[in-house]
Amino acid sequence: LNAEHRKNIDFGLKLDTIDYENIKIIYHGKLEYRKELLIKNIFLKKDEFYSLENTEYTYTRLSGLKTFKFINIRYEKNYEYPNSLDCYIMLSASQKKSFTIETQGTHRGGNLGVAATAITRNKNSFRGAEVFEVKLKGGLEAQSLTDEEKLDLAVQNEGKKGLATTLFNTLEYGAEISLFVPELVYPKKSALLPRYTEPKTNIGIGYNYQKRPFYDRWIFNVGLKYHWRLGQFHKFVFSPIDLSYIDIEKDSVFAARLKEIDNTFLSNSYSAHLIPSSSIGYFYSNQDFEKNSNFMYLKLNLESAGNALKVLSQPLKLNQNLDGNYQAFDVPFSQYVKVDFDLRFFEVLTQHSTIVYRGFGGIAVPLSNNSSIPFEKSFFAGGSNNQRAWTARSLGPGSINDTISYRSFDQIGDVLLGANVEYRFDILKMVEGAVFIDAGNIWIQQKDNQRVGSDFDFKRFYKEIAIGAGIGARLDFSFFIVRLDAGIKIRDPSLPEDERWIHQSKNKYNTYYSDFLSRTDSDKLEIFESNGGYQRFNMKFNLGIDYPF
């Protein structure tokens, strides 16, 4: 550096200099970052030709460290060496430590709630731009209940008031500890990937407790994830280790109902289990935020669980339970393969109107060590983000009839198909309207004699596609959107085949349901008959945060 250049960056401070791999690192006081970290993210080398691509890539990589509040890359002519340039990269560190408290409204599967989170972060924890984060969170949620569930709660509580009988009937709290490293941390001698951006390794451990109306659930999780981008549009998330332990304590009424039904699928869903999984996800989006133009979004996910542990079950001499399933730490572990996708296309019609097309689906195949998919990994239908004419987890599986006792449980499956079309248009500056059509359902793969019509069959699955339609309004507050959607059932697969469309008579269903209630619940029969039977124009309202997709 000549005297003029030195003076331009000196600012009257006492500076120190480190020469490392033909790059001068000039700093004041203590160098807060390892020199290897800085050099690894600079892709401008001595005696190379000027490259705009390498300059932009260097800026992107340095920005991806999330530890600098100011980054400036500039070139100046070198008068000592004709036809040469000096490159200056000016970096200013952001605040190292922070503590924040966040309050929020939550919206999961059609259930609304309130939550608060306390977060403490320490940036550059080990002089490598790492971020060490601790979260403490808690919340309340209003979980929708069926009539059967409300009756069970009344019996269980014997008229006493408690959390289960209040509006916010679900309590949840937990803690997470995470370390974010701005690099792909894995044993390597050389990079195995092409030029990538925003690399990040996330190592985390978490604990979560959920108190629900019929059971308490504890979830412990340990995970390792890699995040990176290839180019502008492609993002990958690879999780080689994601270990979850779920323990459930059921109340006496809920346990008695499970025992009465005696269904292996449901029993496994509400039992303690271990999920040792790995997954890889691919995300594509060509959205240009500076242009109001058409764009596409695609998400693909592949997940595998328990396969390595099953192979090692005999060498490790793992115990087996009464069902013949191998156990780790005296808990059966899940074994399955799961694939799912979500494809969306946004067509901009005018400056004030857009139409969005969406198709999504997936399949989860249980393997030999467990006959069913864990509850947490299963698919569901209904709610504010897919079939909005049905309440959350109330649709399906298949054409299962809604009069049977299974309706007091969340409806889950291992096959999912769905599609949505939504027309969005501006009404006022902060108010947007929508008209939508939703279609889809869930199924299970194996026939279940206790749940006739719930299995996926190529000969009839298309007859079991549920269709709903409706209108919506959105309030746009810039930083978030409040959404209200109202939908009605156009085609209900739980009805007899010749009564599923909204315009068809419901005589068979009404007769069957009346007979069912006369044998099971005379009070409900009186209400059902006073309402005139099946309510074909019964509108479901969904309150949500942000767009449904």
Side-chain angles (χ1 to χ4, degrees):
L1 295 176
N2 58 36
E4 181 180 357
H5 293 158
R6 180 87 181 196
K7 184 174 64 175
N8 287 340
I9 63 174
D10 196 324
F11 302 111
L13 301 174
K14 183 179 179 181
L15 302 176
D16 292 312
T17 302
I18 295 177
D19 288 306
Y20 186 72
E21 294 189 0
N22 294 316
I23 293 179
K24 290 183 182 294
I25 303 174
I26 304 171
Y27 60 97
H28 168 65
K30 180 183 177 181
L31 183 60
E32 296 291 341
Y33 306 93
R34 295 196 304 271
K35 59 182 181 294
E36 295 84 1
L37 169 75
L38 299 174
I39 300 306
K40 185 166 55 177
N41 288 279
I42 295 174
F43 296 84
L44 304 169
K45 305 301 180 183
K46 183 181 179 181
D47 298 329
E48 287 186 350
F49 284 106
Y50 166 79
S51 169
L52 176 61
E53 180 183 0
N54 287 347
T55 302
E56 293 176 342
Y57 187 49
T58 298
Y59 185 88
T60 301
R61 289 295 297 265
L62 290 172
S63 299
L65 296 178
K66 307 295 184 184
T67 191
F68 300 114
K69 65 179 179 181
F70 175 79
I71 301 172
N72 183 33
I73 301 176
R74 78 172 193 268
Y75 291 90
E76 293 186 6
K77 185 176 181 180
N78 189 311
Y79 294 95
E80 297 179 9
Y81 300 95
N83 302 319
S84 296
L85 295 172
D86 288 332
C87 177
Y88 295 89
I89 302 175
M90 311 294 290
L91 303 174
S92 177
S94 60
Q95 185 177 356
K96 186 174 182 179
K97 295 182 179 180
S98 65
F99 176 78
T100 58
I101 295 179
E102 300 175 352
T103 58
Q104 58 186 340
T106 62
H107 178 250
R108 290 178 295 186
N111 299 321
L112 295 177
V114 292
T117 306
I119 307 171
T120 178
R121 293 188 182 93
N122 185 31
K123 295 184 179 180
N124 198 35
S125 302
F126 307 104
R127 299 181 61 233
E130 305 91 353
V131 178
F132 182 75
E133 182 178 274
V134 177
K135 286 185 179 181
L136 299 176
K137 55 185 180 180
L140 296 170
E141 188 175 86
Q143 186 178 19
S144 58
L145 301 175
T146 65
D147 292 336
E148 289 84 356
E149 289 173 329
K150 293 176 182 177
L151 182 61
D152 284 344
L153 282 176
V155 174
Q156 172 188 322
N157 292 281
E158 297 180 349
K160 299 177 182 179
K161 290 186 177 180
L163 177 68
T165 58
T166 61
L167 172 62
F168 292 103
N169 51 21
T170 297
L171 168 68
E172 181 174 345
Y173 61 80
E176 295 178 12
I177 300 175
S178 301
L179 178 65
F180 301 89
V181 182
E183 184 55 83
L184 302 182
V185 180
Y186 61 97
K188 59 182 184 297
K189 293 183 179 180
S190 60
L192 301 178
L193 293 170
R195 180 170 286 195
Y196 54 85
T197 61
E198 299 183 32
K200 182 171 63 177
T201 300
N202 179 18
I203 305 169
I205 181 171
Y207 163 78
N208 184 264
Y209 168 72
Q210 302 169 356
K211 185 173 183 58
R212 298 188 178 274
F214 295 100
Y215 57 85
D216 294 356
R217 179 161 56 189
W218 294 263
I219 302 176
F220 302 89
N221 178 263
V222 177
L224 170 65
K225 285 186 179 181
Y226 299 109
H227 306 249
W228 72 94
R229 287 185 176 274
L230 289 179
Q232 182 180 357
F233 306 130
H234 311 277
K235 179 182 177 180
F236 294 84
V237 178
F238 173 51
S239 178
I241 301 172
D242 190 352
L243 180 64
S244 297
Y245 168 70
I246 297 92
D247 192 15
I248 295 179
E249 182 178 325
K250 302 177 284 289
D251 66 47
S252 57
V253 174
F254 190 70
R257 175 161 289 202
L258 278 174
K259 185 176 180 179
E260 177 186 353
I261 292 175
D262 190 27
N263 184 274
T264 303
F265 181 87
L266 289 175
S267 297
N268 289 338
S269 298
Y270 293 97
S271 299
H273 54 279
L274 190 70
I275 308 177
S277 67
S278 301
S279 64
I280 183 167
Y282 166 70
F283 304 83
Y284 172 87
S285 175
N286 60 353
Q287 182 177 8
D288 189 338
F289 292 97
E290 296 181 358
K291 298 179 181 179
N292 189 25
S293 58
N294 299 348
F295 67 95
M296 186 181 77
Y297 168 87
L298 172 64
K299 180 182 75 172
L300 299 173
N301 188 68
L302 172 63
E303 182 175 343
S304 173
N307 295 300
L309 196 55
K310 177 61 186 299
V311 172
L312 297 173
S313 57
Q314 292 186 359
L316 294 175
K317 298 181 179 180
L318 298 180
N319 295 327
Q320 291 177 280
N321 61 15
L322 297 177
D323 296 324
N325 297 327
Y326 285 99
Q327 301 180 109
F329 309 107
D330 296 324
V331 177
F333 61 87
S334 300
Q335 185 186 9
Y336 62 86
V337 175
K338 178 181 178 181
V339 181
D340 59 89
F341 76 94
D342 189 336
L343 176 62
R344 309 170 190 176
F345 181 73
F346 296 76
E347 182 180 2
V348 179
L349 303 178
T350 68
Q351 184 179 355
H352 303 286
S353 62
T354 303
I355 187 167
V356 186
Y357 308 90
R358 179 193 184 204
F360 58 97
I363 182 171
V365 182
L367 301 178
S368 59
N369 200 61
N370 204 318
S371 60
S372 60
I373 302 300
F375 179 87
E376 298 78 15
K377 301 295 183 177
S378 299
F379 300 113
F380 72 90
S384 62
N385 291 339
N386 44 51
Q387 280 75 37
R388 284 164 279 186
W390 282 261
T391 55
R393 295 179 171 87
S394 66
L395 173 59
S399 57
I400 190 170
N401 192 284
D402 66 359
T403 61
I404 66 174
S405 57
Y406 291 104
R407 280 298 161 193
S408 60
F409 298 95
D410 287 336
Q411 301 305 308
I412 57 177
D414 44 31
V415 178
L416 168 70
L417 284 176
N420 311 92
V421 179
E422 181 167 289
Y423 173 60
R424 301 169 183 170
F425 53 92
D426 292 340
I427 299 176
L428 298 172
K429 184 177 181 180
M430 292 179 55
V431 181
E432 183 180 284
V435 178
F436 60 84
I437 298 176
D438 303 329
N441 206 339
I442 58 169
W443 295 264
I444 61 175
Q445 295 174 63
Q446 302 296 325
K447 279 192 175 182
D448 187 341
N449 293 330
Q450 294 175 300
R451 299 192 294 170
V452 177
S454 61
D455 61 301
F456 184 88
D457 189 329
F458 278 104
K459 296 180 180 179
R460 70 167 202 277
F461 84 93
Y462 61 92
K463 300 178 182 179
E464 298 168 343
I465 297 293
I467 301 175
I471 57 175
R474 292 90 164 91
L475 296 178
D476 189 350
F477 295 98
S478 296
F479 51 94
F480 74 96
I481 293 174
V482 176
R483 170 170 53 91
L484 177 63
D485 289 327
I488 60 172
K489 300 174 183 179
I490 303 299
R491 191 172 190 273
D492 187 349
S494 69
L495 300 176
E497 275 195 51
D498 55 352
E499 296 186 351
R500 291 176 178 173
W501 288 100
I502 189 172
H503 65 275
Q504 293 176 317
S505 73
K506 305 296 183 285
N507 295 332
K508 291 181 181 178
Y509 174 84
N510 289 336
T511 301
Y512 174 82
Y513 200 26
S514 296
D515 180 65
F516 175 82
L517 292 177
S518 66
R519 292 180 283 105
T520 59
D521 196 323
S522 58
D523 292 336
K524 289 182 183 178
L525 174 61
E526 183 178 346
I527 296 174
F528 180 73
E529 292 181 341
S530 65
N531 288 331
Y534 182 87
Q535 299 298 300
R536 66 179 71 191
F537 294 105
N538 185 20
M539 187 166 286
K540 299 294 182 182
F541 292 93
N542 292 278
L543 182 63
I545 305 297
D546 211 344
Y547 291 112
F549 48 85

